[in-house]
Amino acid sequence: MPERALSFGTVAAAYERYRPGYPAELFDLVAEYAAVQAGGPVRTALEIGAGTGKATRLFAGRGVAVTATEPDPAMLAELRRHAPGNVRTVRAAFEELPPDGPYDLVYAAAALHWTDPVGRWRRVAELLRPGGVFACFGGPVQLADPELAEAVRVVRAPFLASDDVPSPDGTPPERALQWPGTELRRSEWFDQAQQLVQPRRLTMAAAEYLGHLSTVSAYLLLPEDTRAEVFRRILTVLPERVALEADITVHLARRR
């Protein structure tokens, strides 16, 4: 997992170009939860593993003063090129952050699974004000057509069995409550844990879908010539445009 976590900097520009952003409704969901469970608006936030700033721009664009943290210098440079003025950037892994804030919100967009599980929830709690909110959101971008997904799996299989990121706590994908909700429900630091799903459907050209795959860590760990061959084979089974399921699973909790 650490090797996969540090693989994205080599494709920072592609990550910014091909990874989908986050809809305004996601901010509204987090803000509504904060208003009900934390008793007020979100004014300050710390982002864990901000990458190129896809979620950073969503929250900063709604007036939140965001401290965006990211350990990879290339990803951070891409973030800084696009960040508005109310974003403060810090080059650091989550485990290296000193107690700061306290913040109204600590959140992670498709990044929490890369953090060290030892002491994770204590560190998050230390960054939040009492009653502050933690949010985690993300999800895979998958081919909507099962037959097409199987065709891609078959041509990829000789080189890569799966491109998924396994659940950090081993929760099977068919279980209703997914990680990190499983841990938040048991945490001494948090209560009012919720799991919500925002449906999202996308369509894109086959070349754009390959661009997206080029930013997925499982492919990035392949030797360059192997990766090129995998993508060549995948392209042979794709139609000109592909439909994708890209639901956003959101986990929310309040610091006790």
Side-chain angles (χ1 to χ4, degrees):
M1 292 291 277
E3 186 180 7
R4 292 180 72 164
L6 297 174
S7 65
F8 299 106
T10 59
V11 291
Y15 196 104
E16 173 60 27
R17 177 178 177 181
Y18 294 114
R19 288 280 181 126
Y22 294 98
E25 292 78 9
L26 175 62
F27 176 86
D28 296 338
L29 188 155
V30 175
E32 181 180 356
Y33 176 91
V36 173
Q37 301 294 348
V42 174
R43 295 188 177 90
T44 61
L46 180 132
E47 182 175 2
I48 299 168
T52 64
K54 297 283 185 177
T56 314
R57 297 194 290 273
L58 171 65
F59 283 81
R62 299 295 286 269
V64 179
V66 178
T67 297
T69 69
E70 168 58 46
D72 188 286
M75 297 288 275
L76 192 62
E78 194 69 31
L79 185 155
R80 286 170 172 160
R81 275 193 280 272
H82 305 284
N86 55 336
V87 173
R88 179 171 72 98
T89 60
V90 177
R91 182 185 172 187
F94 173 59
E95 295 76 17
E96 301 166 342
L97 292 173
D100 192 10
Y103 295 91
D104 297 327
L105 171 71
V106 171
Y107 70 94
L112 190 70
H113 52 281
W114 303 126
T115 63
D116 188 345
V118 178
R120 177 191 286 132
W121 300 117
R122 175 185 55 79
R123 287 192 294 270
V124 172
E126 288 174 348
L127 292 162
L128 282 167
R129 64 171 176 81
V133 171
F134 169 75
C136 176
F137 45 87
V141 175
Q142 301 174 321
L143 292 164
D145 182 344
E147 292 185 2
L148 183 57
E150 176 61 13
V152 169
R153 187 198 66 79
V154 168
V155 298
R156 185 191 65 211
F159 310 94
L160 186 65
S162 172
D163 57 8
D164 293 336
V165 175
S167 172
D169 69 350
T171 301
E174 64 272 13
R175 190 77 55 81
L177 182 64
Q178 288 292 302
W179 184 90
T182 48
E183 292 184 2
L184 287 167
R185 291 277 175 90
R186 302 190 300 265
S187 174
E188 64 181 298
W189 299 99
F190 293 92
D191 61 14
Q192 303 301 319
Q194 295 184 15
Q195 175 180 290
L196 303 163
V197 177
Q198 286 195 322
R200 181 172 58 169
R201 299 295 180 268
L202 307 171
T203 59
M204 61 179 64
E208 292 178 321
Y209 178 62
L210 284 184
H212 171 80
L213 292 184
S214 76
T215 71
V216 173
S217 59
Y219 296 98
L220 290 172
L221 296 189
L222 295 173
E224 185 175 353
D225 57 343
T226 302
R227 185 167 63 247
E229 177 62 15
V230 173
F231 289 160
R232 185 191 69 78
R233 294 191 183 198
I234 291 175
L235 189 59
T236 64
V237 301
L238 294 178
E240 290 186 6
R241 296 189 66 80
V242 295
L244 303 168
E245 294 180 350
D247 294 350
I248 304 170
T249 301
V250 185
H251 289 96
L252 299 161
R254 181 183 66 182
R255 185 195 163 183
R256 294 182 188 272

